[in-house]
Amino acid sequence: MTTMTDPPGQGFRLSQLIYDTRYRSLTIQVVAMIVLMLLFSWLVSNTIHNLQTLGKDFDFGFLTQPSGYDINQRLIEYDSQSTHGRAAIVGILNTLLVAVLGCALATVLGVIAGVLRLSNNWLVSRLMAVYVEGFRNVPLLLWIVLIFALMTESTPAPRAFRGDTPDASMLFDAVAITNRGVYVPAIHFASPFFTNGALNWLVVLVVLGASIFAIQRLRHWATAKQEATGDRPTTWYLILGILILPTGLLMLLMGAFLDMPSLQGFNFGGGIHLRNSLIALWLALSLYTGAFIAEIVRGGILAVNKGQTEAAYALGIRPSTTMNLVILPQALRVIIPPLISQFLNLTKNSSLAIAVGYMDVRSTLGGITINQTGRELEGMLLLGLFYLVLSLLISGVMNVYNASVKLKER
Amino acid sequence: MSDTHAQTVAFVRDTMVEEQEPPLSQSGAYKWIHENMFSTPLNVILTVVSLFVIWTVLSHLLPWAVMGIWDADSLAQCREIRDEIYGADASVACWAVISERWNQLLFGFYPPELYWRPVLAFVLFLAAIAPVLFASVPRKALWFSAAAPFVLYWLLWGGSLWGPIAVAAGFALGAVVMRFAAPALGALAAVLLAIFVPLLYWFTLSGPLAGALNAVIPLELVNVRSNDMGGFMLAMIIGVSGIALSLPLGIVLALGRQSDLFIINKCSVIFIEVIRGVPLIVWLFTASLLLNYFLPPGTNFDLMLRVIIMVTLFSSAYIAEVVRGGLAALPKGQYEAADALGLDYWKSMRLIILPQALKISIPGIVNTFIGLFKDTTLVVFIGLLDPIGLSNAIRASTDWNGIYWELFVFIGLCFFIFCFSMGRYSLFLEKKLRREHR
């Protein structure tokens, strides 16, 4: 006898947009969207108006014009007749150079300091605590200018190396640390395959890469054999041979020789000249980031449950194997993501190069180029895009890694 | 039985042996040193190396610092005094640069006769921050903390007291509107009204009101321009305002990133990623070079204000990520429990979710604050005189040309004290808020 009736049809009322939870989220979003659009159009119209008043346009043509300034630290050919675009690329390469060098040294320092901080040697662990706290709590900029001042003020001038009883001497007769920079031996080729130096190095790198690939295959083969028969063939001398022989032979073939730095006139010549700006930036970034990495490594090792080690020992696994197969894989899962974000921080912090005059991308594209062409808007936009793309790429890599080591829960 | 047994054994002890001291190698300093420094060959090597490092550093640093000269007018005079006392070869610090330029390092080029104002402001700041940091301070003192920003602004920049009061009145107006409109109009409308009415007031009424009040009762301090501020005062102003402003903004961004609302979510994500992807120094240059392009022609506002805005936006993006971690770490049951109690979104966030999520993210938040405070040194590149900028300025003067280490040590120590105590406070807070595993 019950009759099904529809709820009283009142139709749609405007107040439902605010008070009905079905529509409210839509209302909020539309309002937010409109406000954002208004804000953006306001900013854009302001910019257009301001550009018109100044008589400027929005144009990236300046990248193809000759730059007219020199860059003292460069990895590729560049002179003052080159374009602004090429100057930007030189800067990008310099940024990447100091970032890669810094990440490598920071990792080494950080891992050593992190492990030593857990050492049961009281003195060493305290010393490492002082290092970590000291570097973490003082601005990076101060460390950069301090190390730069140390490099320029406390090292001998080139003329101190002169004479029969010089005041200063070179390390191992190969490395000269002077107040104009550090000179290290360079490898040159007497009979190169190509006139372009970079191509020769590319060949060497390709051969080295092929060797490493061959070593990987060899280890795969050894593992397969171990799984099939229980015996692991001895491979270390093969690995060493594959690693050294082909590359060494190639270098001999090209007539590689060491070009030692030596005093020529008032300054050192020969070898590779590492400027103080690069050294100071590199050391400061590495020491500073190393302190953060040390904490990450320490946390990662502490995060592995002690029961894991004990369980491995109870199974009769040796300590070194336990470390490799039980502790490290679990600790790395905790360590790697923050480690990569520290690498990212180091790369971004390399923009502090401005403090010591190292020509990174901010100094070329975001500094001198902007000053010379007056294209602040375009220059800063490109600069920001470069850093943004770089950090998005690195965090993309991190996401892939995270997904690959994620605990597969069933 | 016992008799026979007694005769088979030569000696049976019938009293307890007295307790003896443990052997020397198992007690006291010897044992501690042996266990903690010389237990294995590797440990011996490590200990020797560390002792060598410590000796090298201290043997150079301690005499240099302790024998330092505190009373001189210039580096040349410092060297004369050194030659007189220690001989020309001695390496001693010239702390005189600190004692002579002390005021400059602290206040920049703030007018000397007005130094009492930043000092008083610092004392008031400490008083205002105490109830926020420590729960044992009476809660009533929080009212003073709320009023402090306006008082501090007035003390530092000077001008008429009525300006800050008129601005503060806007916030009070918003609170009043919220209080009385909420029962009548409902929550959402009340919030919108509470935002709109103060904005209207600030744009129209507050200026003339402050002017009128100042004409009746003039309460004025001498105006000081932002350009004159520098040194640690500048670092404190930028750091503290950045910290105070970026926390709420960061929390809102984190909520936005966790939100189900598509557009709000995407906007938060883009904002956070873009800000985090670009170095602070590029943002600072953007603030100093480009802001004039984005704003209506003729607008030109204070460089320090621009820096504070940029620093705030920058660190709020980092805080948003930290808080998001805290939100994600909460068990889902907490969200569901809040829904089951019938709390609306804001209430559930305010009463259930955020207190727990923020507790989890305290270490990360404080680390971000420490980073922000250290990053205040970057303003030197856009022409503000932070401590490092001042050290360059001091070195550029003829008196102190060529002085490096003393200034760096002093600046580094000051930053270390601030940042280290922030870190310790975060440990204290974590311990205090820990609820499990007591």
Side-chain angles (χ1 to χ4, degrees):
Chain A
M1 286 302 286
T2 48
T3 48
M4 297 292 287
T5 49
D6 288 335
Q10 289 183 328
F12 183 78
R13 280 170 291 114
L14 215 55
S15 62
Q16 273 181 311
L17 281 179
I18 292 179
Y19 294 111
D20 192 326
T21 44
R22 282 172 299 176
Y23 304 114
R24 185 158 67 187
S25 65
L26 202 68
T27 320
I28 294 174
Q29 297 200 61
V30 169
V31 170
M33 195 71 198
I34 291 171
V35 170
L36 269 178
M37 296 295 235
L38 282 177
L39 190 68
F40 258 103
S41 59
W42 183 67
L43 289 179
V44 169
S45 76
N46 276 340
T47 311
I48 293 172
H49 185 235
N50 283 326
L51 281 175
Q52 269 174 357
T53 337
L54 289 170
K56 287 183 178 177
D57 52 354
F58 191 74
D59 180 19
F60 289 100
F62 67 99
L63 287 175
T64 56
Q65 288 160 8
S67 61
Y69 62 93
D70 223 342
I71 299 177
N72 52 26
Q73 178 92 40
R74 54 181 181 264
L75 292 176
I76 55 173
E77 290 300 312
Y78 173 87
D79 58 45
S80 55
Q81 293 308 305
S82 306
T83 59
H84 282 296
R86 198 164 174 86
I89 291 173
V90 172
I92 287 176
L93 286 176
N94 279 344
T95 295
L96 294 180
L97 172 73
V98 77
V100 169
L101 286 177
C103 287
L105 186 59
T107 313
V108 174
L109 285 174
V111 169
I112 291 176
V115 171
L116 284 186
R117 210 182 160 184
L118 287 174
S119 150
N120 49 15
N121 187 321
W122 183 84
L123 207 56
V124 170
S125 63
R126 287 308 126 98
L127 204 59
M128 288 304 135
V130 168
Y131 159 66
V132 168
E133 293 298 337
F135 271 87
R136 269 158 47 104
N137 287 317
V138 172
L140 172 61
L141 182 62
L142 191 64
W143 287 118
I144 293 178
V145 289
L146 196 149
I147 294 180
F148 186 68
L150 208 64
M151 296 295 298
T152 50
E153 298 295 317
S154 297
T155 48
R159 67 180 145 77
F161 292 81
R162 181 175 298 283
D164 295 329
T165 52
D167 297 335
S169 57
M170 294 165 72
L171 293 175
F172 314 115
D173 276 338
V175 179
I177 301 174
T178 74
N179 62 359
R180 295 192 194 170
V182 176
Y183 294 84
V184 294
I187 298 176
H188 284 304
F189 299 114
S191 50
F193 296 160
F194 304 99
T195 45
N196 187 342
L199 278 179
N200 289 314
W201 281 109
L202 199 65
V203 172
V204 174
L205 273 185
V206 165
V207 171
L208 198 65
S211 301
I212 289 171
F213 179 71
I215 288 170
Q216 291 285 343
R217 295 305 304 264
L218 188 72
R219 295 173 83 163
H220 261 285
W221 168 77
T223 310
K225 188 151 186 189
Q226 185 184 20
E227 277 169 7
T229 64
D231 275 331
R232 191 177 178 89
T234 321
T235 50
W236 64 266
Y237 55 89
L238 282 176
I239 289 178
L240 210 62
I242 296 176
L243 193 64
I244 293 174
L245 278 182
T247 319
L249 275 179
L250 180 78
M251 304 252 299
L252 274 184
L253 211 65
M254 291 202 286
F257 65 95
L258 274 181
D259 179 18
M260 292 288 184
S262 59
L263 264 182
Q264 291 167 6
F266 290 105
N267 207 343
F268 275 90
I272 298 176
H273 179 198
L274 301 172
R275 277 165 200 283
N276 278 334
S277 51
L278 171 64
I279 302 266
L281 190 65
W282 177 35
L283 287 184
L285 283 173
S286 312
L287 285 167
Y288 182 80
T289 314
F292 286 86
I293 292 179
E295 284 296 271
I296 292 169
V297 169
R298 188 174 76 109
I301 294 175
L302 285 178
V304 179
N305 198 326
K306 207 176 168 216
Q308 298 284 331
T309 323
E310 288 165 355
Y313 288 166
L315 286 173
I317 302 176
R318 278 182 300 177
S320 60
T321 321
T322 305
M323 195 55 169
N324 283 336
L325 296 182
V326 179
I327 313 290
L328 273 187
Q330 300 186 61
L332 282 183
R333 194 198 304 282
V334 183
I335 291 173
I336 299 263
L339 182 70
I340 294 181
S341 87
Q342 283 303 324
F343 289 166
L344 200 55
N345 278 350
L346 190 149
T347 310
K348 284 186 286 178
N349 281 336
S350 70
S351 57
L352 291 184
I354 183 178
V356 289
Y358 178 71
M359 297 300 274
D360 73 331
V361 64
R362 206 223 57 81
S363 303
T364 58
L365 175 66
I368 304 179
T369 294
I370 283 183
N371 285 343
Q372 291 199 351
T373 57
R375 302 255 172 211
E376 298 101 346
L377 208 53
E378 296 91 335
M380 294 303 280
L381 197 65
L382 286 177
L383 185 64
L385 268 182
F386 162 71
Y387 281 114
L388 193 59
V389 167
L390 193 67
S391 59
L392 287 182
L393 272 182
I394 295 179
S395 43
V397 170
M398 186 164 76
N399 286 343
V400 170
Y401 172 83
N402 279 346
S404 73
V405 299
K406 200 171 155 194
L407 282 179
K408 293 181 180 66
E409 288 177 15
R410 278 180 267 269
Chain B
M1 283 292 282
S2 63
D3 287 349
T4 52
H5 185 73
Q7 275 148 19
T8 55
V9 185
F11 171 74
V12 176
R13 176 177 288 284
D14 51 7
T15 54
M16 288 290 283
V17 179
E18 265 187 45
E19 262 183 32
Q20 293 191 347
E21 291 289 310
L24 203 61
S25 66
Q26 288 302 309
S27 69
Y30 180 87
K31 183 192 179 207
W32 188 87
I33 289 178
H34 186 261
E35 271 186 3
N36 287 301
M37 293 190 188
F38 299 102
S39 55
T40 60
L42 180 69
N43 258 344
V44 174
I45 297 173
L46 284 178
T47 305
V48 171
V49 171
S50 337
L51 282 176
F52 175 73
V53 169
I54 294 172
W55 166 250
T56 320
V57 172
L58 288 190
S59 66
H60 283 93
L61 213 57
L62 267 189
W64 176 79
V66 173
M67 297 186 341
I69 292 155
W70 285 92
D71 198 16
D73 289 336
S74 69
L75 192 58
Q77 199 185 353
C78 241
R79 290 193 174 133
E80 273 171 30
I81 297 176
R82 177 196 66 185
D83 293 349
E84 237 170 70
I85 307 179
Y86 304 111
D89 290 338
S91 156
V92 295
C94 182
W95 298 117
V97 67
I98 310 288
S99 49
E100 211 215 26
R101 299 297 183 109
W102 168 255
N103 285 331
Q104 207 180 14
L105 280 167
L106 287 191
F107 304 114
F109 296 102
Y110 209 83
E113 67 278 11
L114 300 177
Y115 279 161
W116 62 272
R117 273 163 50 179
V119 172
L120 181 64
F122 185 66
V123 172
L124 287 181
F125 164 71
L126 288 183
I129 199 83
V132 180
L133 295 184
F134 302 106
S136 52
V137 180
R139 297 292 84 193
K140 287 259 169 58
L142 279 173
W143 286 107
F144 174 66
S145 305
F150 306 102
V151 179
L152 295 186
Y153 172 84
W154 179 58
L155 270 178
L156 291 174
W157 274 270
S160 160
L161 177 62
W162 294 109
I165 287 184
V167 172
F171 288 102
L173 194 66
V176 168
V177 168
M178 187 73 196
R179 180 84 173 259
F180 291 103
L185 296 170
L188 192 68
V191 169
L192 288 179
L193 206 62
I195 294 173
F196 180 71
V197 170
L199 279 180
L200 196 70
Y201 160 78
W202 281 324
F203 278 118
T204 55
L205 264 179
S206 73
L209 186 68
L213 281 170
N214 196 42
V216 180
I217 315 168
L219 276 174
E220 277 201 63
L221 285 177
V222 182
N223 227 322
V224 180
R225 292 175 312 135
S226 300
N227 292 0
D228 295 337
M229 301 182 187
F232 281 100
M233 183 185 150
L234 180 82
M236 284 290 286
I237 293 176
I238 296 176
V240 169
S241 7
I243 286 172
L245 295 172
S246 66
L247 185 62
L249 191 57
I251 293 173
V252 169
L253 279 172
L255 291 178
R257 195 165 182 174
Q258 291 287 85
S259 157
D260 298 329
L261 307 178
F262 181 80
I263 290 174
I264 303 234
N265 181 333
K266 287 292 166 277
C267 288
S268 311
V269 171
I270 291 174
F271 180 85
I272 292 172
E273 292 302 329
V274 168
I275 293 268
R276 275 162 42 96
V278 179
L280 177 58
I281 202 169
V282 173
W283 289 122
L284 289 180
F285 275 107
T286 309
S288 78
L289 289 176
L290 295 190
L291 218 57
N292 283 343
Y293 282 109
F294 300 139
L295 296 176
T299 18
N300 189 15
F301 62 97
D302 202 48
L303 188 57
M304 202 200 290
L305 184 60
R306 297 188 203 182
V307 168
I308 289 176
I309 292 174
M310 270 303 164
V311 168
T312 304
L313 293 180
F314 189 76
S315 67
S316 69
Y318 280 80
I319 286 180
E321 283 300 273
V322 174
V323 174
R324 184 173 73 115
L327 289 173
L330 269 198
K332 218 176 161 208
Q334 297 291 333
Y335 291 86
E336 287 162 357
D339 285 348
L341 285 174
L343 298 178
D344 65 15
Y345 177 79
W346 289 108
K347 271 196 182 132
S348 71
M349 285 298 148
R350 192 161 54 87
L351 300 173
I352 312 257
I353 308 298
L354 277 182
Q356 303 184 64
L358 288 180
K359 191 182 86 182
I360 301 174
S361 15
I362 285 174
I365 292 178
V366 175
N367 275 344
T368 314
F369 286 164
I370 293 177
L372 187 156
F373 193 65
K374 287 187 293 181
D375 280 346
T376 55
T377 51
L378 300 196
V379 298
V380 63
F381 297 125
I382 54 171
L384 292 180
L385 282 176
D386 81 311
I388 292 181
L390 271 174
S391 83
N392 293 337
I394 291 174
R395 203 172 307 121
S397 71
T398 45
D399 282 351
W400 298 109
N401 195 355
I403 198 154
Y404 288 92
W405 319 116
E406 291 82 355
L407 288 169
F408 288 156
V409 167
F410 173 72
I411 296 168
L413 269 182
C414 288
F415 271 105
F416 181 84
I417 290 168
F418 273 116
C419 298
F420 191 72
S421 39
M422 271 198 257
R424 290 292 118 167
Y425 176 73
S426 110
L427 289 182
F428 156 79
L429 202 58
E430 257 177 272
K431 217 182 229 168
K432 200 186 78 175
L433 295 179
R434 190 173 293 155
R435 285 284 169 270
E436 65 277 347
H437 307 306
R438 286 218 182 190

